[in-house]
Amino acid sequence: MRKLTLRSLLILLISATTMAEEGMPLEGVKQETAYFLSSSIPEKTLVPLLKSAQIKQIPVYFNGLIDNSMEKTARYLLNLIQKYQVAGIQIDPLRFDYYGITQVPALVKRCGNTFDVVYGSLALDEGLTQITRHGACRVE
């Protein structure tokens, strides 16, 4: 894994913020699975959730900056990345708004013009199974 510095992480965060401000074309997305988490989740709970999403190649989204500080957020993410070798965390408040996510953890699966949301710290496999069996995005 490439070693990240605080400066490169700040640049990455600025880039992600700029993309979010420019507007991500979520209306054009037809299929998506996404995991919504937060720095407010205790680290001992958060890390297994991040690792699980990484194994399943499901992108992880945080809503915004810690204390509205780019530097604090970059330091927090850099610590997670270096200490636990996790990747794929993005900051995207637009996705939170689009899917109406008001609490985390939240697993979203979008299929066409509809989507399902499963809340709680259950295993990703279980959440995906619940959607597949009972959700609007279930497999027919």
Side-chain angles (χ1 to χ4, degrees), residues 56-118:
K56 297 205 164 296
Q57 298 180 337
I58 296 174
V60 172
Y61 297 100
F62 280 27
N63 194 16
L65 302 176
I66 298 169
D67 295 334
N68 213 23
S69 167
M70 186 78 71
E71 184 176 348
K72 280 185 181 180
T73 306
R75 286 186 190 283
Y76 176 79
L77 293 177
L78 185 61
N79 176 60
L80 287 176
I81 291 165
Q82 290 179 335
K83 188 174 178 180
Y84 301 107
Q85 290 78 48
V86 295
I89 304 168
Q90 300 173 54
I91 297 173
D92 193 343
L94 294 178
R95 265 194 168 71
F96 274 76
D97 289 343
Y98 185 83
Y99 291 117
I101 304 301
T102 57
Q103 61 186 30
V104 292
L107 175 65
V108 170
K109 182 164 185 177
R110 180 174 181 172
C111 52
N113 293 325
T114 190
F115 59 90
D116 296 305
V117 181
V118 177

